[in-house]
Amino acid sequence: MDKLIDDLIKLAFAEDIGDGDHTTLCCIPADEMGKSKLLIKEAGVLAGVDMARRIFSAFDPELKMTVYIEDGAEVKPGDIAFVVEGKVQSLLQTERLMLNVMQRMSGIATVTRKYVKQLEGLHTRVLDTRKTTPGLRMLEKAAVKIGGGVNHRIGLFDMILLKDNHIDFAGGIENAITRAHEYLKEKGKNLKIEIEVRNMDELEEVMQVGGVDRIMLDNFTPELTRKAVERIGGKYETESSGGITFDTLREYAEYGVDFISVGALTHSVKGLDMSFKAC
């Protein structure tokens, strides 16, 4: 995972700087020193401080970062999260990448915290999904955790999730589950198996076949969710997904599901407003 992040930073700098930041190079002497502060301009949850450290260090190890507010803290307009000192050329060339990352991650953490607070007092946890920005998944999922949410699977490699298309192509629920177990045994892998069901009939078939760790109730109404949770009776973990909004989130949770997956945590989030200003 660290290598993916290192590669992302290298690619992002190559994309932004190309053969040189000619604006900075033309007007700022190479030996000029200065400092800049990260100024918060909107209330929310701060995320990406650790990534900022990595970005500054990757570009110029001599930059000195003094942190006043760490990841996960709730911030307000006027707060100063950190100050960075060093070569002015380095401050200017790292500014945009650092801001892009921190605004995106803080936006995700802020929305996640809102969903998490909506479920206070209940055992249900908020999950993210794979509906992430290509190349930024590790950062976006880290932001979900900072906001208090839980990561689902990271990608296609760390869990088996038998969704509707897998089941249909495999020829049914029993075939899909059986093949999953055969595959894991053949490959010597120990991965959890989750299966998606679209109605109570499919749920009943899964209950008869067994061999899974979690059942995803896809696009179930709140009332069907109640019935499904009662039928499962704690034998398997339960997850609600599809068609759930912030306003209906708690209703689903009150019927006892263990997890609710929310694509909106990552796929359509507004970045948190902040700026990097000379000081």
Side-chain angles (χ1 to χ4, degrees):
M1 300 305 172
D2 281 341
K3 184 180 185 304
L4 286 174
I5 292 174
D6 289 341
D7 290 345
L8 169 63
I9 292 173
K10 290 176 184 177
L11 177 62
F13 277 131
E15 174 185 63
D16 197 32
I17 296 177
D19 70 345
D21 173 9
H22 303 302
T23 307
T24 294
L25 297 176
C26 79
C27 62
I28 304 297
D31 59 352
E32 185 169 337
M33 307 296 284
K35 59 183 180 179
S36 295
K37 62 185 178 183
L38 185 71
L39 177 65
I40 305 302
K41 301 169 72 175
E42 182 180 4
V45 176
L46 189 68
V49 174
D50 284 341
M51 269 302 298
R53 286 191 183 99
R54 293 181 69 157
I55 289 167
F56 292 129
S57 178
F59 189 84
D60 182 352
E62 294 184 2
L63 287 174
K64 180 183 176 182
M65 183 176 174
T66 303
V67 176
Y68 302 110
I69 306 175
E70 291 284 2
D71 285 334
E74 296 192 4
V75 292
K76 63 185 184 304
D79 285 346
I80 297 173
F82 54 73
V83 171
V84 184
E85 299 180 64
K87 292 180 180 179
V88 174
Q89 285 190 355
S90 296
L91 295 175
L92 292 170
Q93 290 177 91
T94 54
E95 174 184 346
R96 179 45 54 198
L97 175 56
M98 178 276 295
L99 283 173
N100 285 348
V101 167
M102 290 206 62
Q103 287 182 292
R104 177 73 178 163
M105 289 185 69
S106 297
I108 290 170
T110 299
V111 171
T112 302
R113 183 71 55 84
K114 177 183 176 183
Y115 276 78
V116 169
K117 286 183 175 180
Q118 183 74 345
L119 298 181
E120 282 183 349
L122 303 175
H123 84 280
T124 308
R125 304 297 301 278
V126 177
L127 291 177
D128 55 23
T129 69
R130 285 171 53 241
K131 296 175 182 177
T132 55
T133 309
L136 299 181
R137 179 172 299 173
M138 301 306 166
L139 307 188
E140 294 180 347
K141 283 184 171 281
V144 168
K145 291 185 72 173
I146 290 169
V150 177
N151 294 152
H152 201 291
R153 52 182 179 165
I154 298 299
L156 297 174
F157 57 86
D158 58 337
M159 183 181 190
I160 288 181
L161 175 47
L162 302 169
K163 294 179 71 67
D164 52 0
N165 281 337
H166 299 96
I167 293 166
D168 292 342
F169 280 125
I173 287 171
E174 185 171 4
N175 282 349
I177 294 174
T178 299
R179 291 177 186 177
H181 281 282
E182 290 173 347
Y183 175 86
L184 291 177
K185 183 177 180 180
E186 176 189 341
K187 299 297 182 181
K189 290 187 175 292
N190 181 26
L191 300 177
K192 285 191 172 184
I193 298 175
E194 179 174 5
I195 190 164
E196 177 183 277
V197 297
R198 294 166 283 193
N199 51 56
M200 292 299 291
D201 289 340
E202 289 188 348
L203 173 59
E204 189 59 39
E205 187 174 353
V206 170
M207 297 300 294
Q208 296 302 318
V209 174
V212 300
D213 298 284
R214 184 185 301 173
I215 299 175
M216 177 190 290
L217 310 172
D218 185 51
N219 284 298
F220 275 47
T221 64
E223 178 59 25
L224 276 180
T225 299
R226 181 187 64 78
K227 292 179 180 179
V229 170
E230 288 177 357
R231 174 66 184 94
I232 295 167
K235 188 173 182 180
Y236 305 111
E237 290 181 338
T238 54
E239 175 185 339
S240 288
S241 178
I244 301 170
T245 67
F246 179 78
D247 292 332
T248 62
L249 185 77
R250 190 172 180 91
E251 181 179 8
Y252 278 87
E254 286 173 341
Y255 286 129
V257 292
D258 298 307
F259 303 99
I260 298 177
S261 51
V262 182
L265 299 183
T266 54
H267 70 54
S268 56
V269 166
K270 172 188 171 294
L272 194 72
D273 195 10
M274 58 185 71
S275 61
F276 197 48
K277 295 296 185 183
C279 60

